[in-house]
Amino acid sequence: MTTAQFQVRKDSLDTTRTVLLPDVPLSDGQVRVRIEHFAYTSNNITYAAFGDAMNYWQFFPVASADGDATWGLIPVWGFGVVRESRCAGVAEGERLYGYWPMASEVVLQPVRVSPEGFFDGAPHRAALHPVYNQYLRCAVDPLHDAAHEPQLALLRPLFLTAWLIDDFLADNTFFGTCESGQRGVMLLSSASSKTAYATAAQLAQRPEVEVVGLTSAANVAFCESLGVYSRVLTYEQLDTLATDTPCVYVDFAGNGDLRKAIHGRLGKLAYSCSIGGTHVDRLAGGRDLPGPRPVLFFAPAQAKKRHGDWGAAGFNERMARAWHAFMGQVNQPAAPWLVVQTHRGPEAVQAAHALVLGGRGDPRLGHMLSLTA
């Protein structure tokens, strides 16, 4: 049998190819997983855009006999089924949730096997953060819902990041923007993106802050319909914010020109939090800017801190409670925030990649992909 991989050029993300590779025999302790379907959002574009800086390309390296390191596999979140197992404690037919390559199959090396799941112990992943190396057994996962797997794949990892951003900002008392009884402004770029509106949904529950979303003119109505932003502005309306506004900038776009404009305009910008890079054609660094230097937010670091503060059980209980409340908002019958669209086969995956990479399409759509027809 063969494995299909959807590879992208690391230096030109709109250049892609689908490669068929022969299956290699499993070694003792390994499992082969059929990747059934996975989510594809601007978050995955961020993985690619920061692939070298944040080591995302290292999770699923592309083997090349000639040493060519041009091509990479973008990591994705979704569901798979164990097709073949040579690992005690992991049975064929088990359904798993986790972090996959854009491929039809993958070989894992389970370690730390428990009733809840396992970690991939492949040597090349040993130095990478364990939050990305864990695979959960769907049969015992308290968040798993077979009827809503697409929503889980599309929103669960984004929500966890969003929940941790909100917690990080509150943990740092919003960097002093709420002193003297005033409401600090949390300014979110790329406000129609799923991670941004999930963050806004958490921040909206905090009366001490005002949540302002920045988006394109085409997405203003969608962002306003969510009810989680105090105000929604187009990028061209940035100058309507008073220059003395106490503010934290939460940057999901990675747009260098926009960051420069915000830093230049807001004299009381207290903190600049860099999250992602949805505007891949305008990415830029944070040097030589007025005000605070942008700091890249790494969700696993805040998760580790809170595991220490609350313990694993306390962390999971808080996260699950917030997740279920958020899903209630997303799935409201009158106007659901998310409509799932399914794409199967290499050509459909390539088309969905181009759509998400270009930032085009309806922000209410969520794309679920599969390389198996």
Side-chain angles (χ1 to χ4, degrees), residues 7 11 19 26 33 49-50 59 63 91 94 114 120 136 139 157 160 171 181 212 267 285 311 333 335 351-352 369:
Q7 301 177 0
D11 58 354
V19 178
L26 294 184
V33 180
F50 292 94
F59 284 94
E94 281 207 67
S114 71
D120 184 15
L136 302 177
L160 179 58
D171 196 26
V212 177
L369 313 184

Side-chain angles (χ1 to χ4, degrees), residues 85-119:
S85 177
R86 293 189 63 182
C87 176
V90 180
E92 294 179 6
E94 281 207 67
R95 192 167 192 81
L96 304 171
Y97 168 80
Y99 202 56
W100 314 103
M102 292 184 73
S104 60
E105 293 189 344
V106 68
V107 173
L108 305 176
Q109 186 173 321
V111 296
R112 297 163 59 186
V113 178
S114 71
E116 292 75 31
F118 59 82
F119 290 79

Side-chain angles (χ1 to χ4, degrees), residues 188-192 213-221 223 232-236:
L188 278 57
S189 64
S190 198
S192 68
L214 288 173
T215 190
S216 64
N219 290 334
V220 168
C223 293
V232 179
L233 305 175
T234 67
Y235 295 116
E236 293 75 21

Side-chain angles (χ1 to χ4, degrees), residues 154-191:
L154 284 159
L155 294 175
R156 182 174 182 164
L158 309 183
F159 173 79
L160 179 58
T161 297
W163 182 68
L164 290 167
I165 294 167
D166 167 73
D167 179 68
F168 168 77
L169 295 176
D171 196 26
N172 287 277
T173 59
F174 301 101
F175 295 92
T177 57
C178 304
E179 294 175 353
S180 305
Q182 62 187 344
R183 297 178 73 200
V185 167
M186 303 297 108
L187 183 64
L188 278 57
S189 64
S190 198

Side-chain angles (χ1 to χ4, degrees), residues 10 16 22 57 74 111-112 149 236 266-267 320 324 356 367 372:
K10 298 176 183 178
T16 68
W57 295 125
I74 298 176
V111 296
R112 297 163 59 186
E149 278 193 353
E236 293 75 21
L266 299 176
H324 289 300
V356 176
H367 300 283
T372 59

Side-chain angles (χ1 to χ4, degrees), residues 96-319:
L96 304 171
Y97 168 80
Y99 202 56
W100 314 103
M102 292 184 73
S104 60
E105 293 189 344
V106 68
V107 173
L108 305 176
Q109 186 173 321
V111 296
R112 297 163 59 186
V113 178
S114 71
E116 292 75 31
F118 59 82
F119 290 79
D120 184 15
H124 71 273
R125 293 176 74 166
L128 302 174
H129 202 283
V131 74
Y132 299 110
N133 291 338
Q134 185 176 21
Y135 293 84
L136 302 177
R137 303 181 201 256
C138 294
V140 297
D141 178 7
L143 295 191
H144 184 254
D145 177 354
H148 293 97
E149 278 193 353
Q151 289 87 342
L152 275 165
L154 284 159
L155 294 175
R156 182 174 182 164
L158 309 183
F159 173 79
L160 179 58
T161 297
W163 182 68
L164 290 167
I165 294 167
D166 167 73
D167 179 68
F168 168 77
L169 295 176
D171 196 26
N172 287 277
T173 59
F174 301 101
F175 295 92
T177 57
C178 304
E179 294 175 353
S180 305
Q182 62 187 344
R183 297 178 73 200
V185 167
M186 303 297 108
L187 183 64
L188 278 57
S189 64
S190 198
S192 68
S193 70
K194 295 172 181 61
T195 314
Y197 71 60
T199 303
Q202 303 310 298
L203 289 168
Q205 301 173 52
R206 301 185 182 275
E208 64 268 40
V209 300
E210 180 184 7
V211 189
V212 177
L214 288 173
T215 190
S216 64
N219 290 334
V220 168
F222 169 74
C223 293
E224 290 178 338
S225 75
L226 303 177
V228 296
Y229 292 104
S230 306
R231 284 183 284 164
V232 179
L233 305 175
T234 67
Y235 295 116
E236 293 75 21
Q237 293 175 318
L238 178 62
D239 59 2
T240 63
L241 281 176
T243 57
D244 61 350
T245 302
C247 184
V248 170
Y249 179 40
V250 187
D251 182 12
F252 296 92
N255 184 321
D257 293 337
L258 176 62
R259 185 189 298 121
K260 184 176 181 180
I262 288 170
H263 277 248
R265 177 170 182 79
L266 299 176
K268 289 190 176 181
L269 183 65
Y271 190 78
S272 185
C273 186
S274 178
I275 309 296
T278 60
H279 296 185
V280 292
D281 57 336
R282 299 183 183 180
L283 296 180
R287 295 182 180 178
D288 303 321
L289 291 172
R293 184 170 182 173
V295 178
L296 187 64
F297 178 76
F298 187 52
Q302 185 67 12
K304 182 178 180 180
K305 178 183 186 300
R306 285 313 199 188
H307 271 90
D309 293 341
W310 302 330
F315 179 93
N316 291 334
E317 179 185 352
R318 286 172 168 84
M319 188 273 290

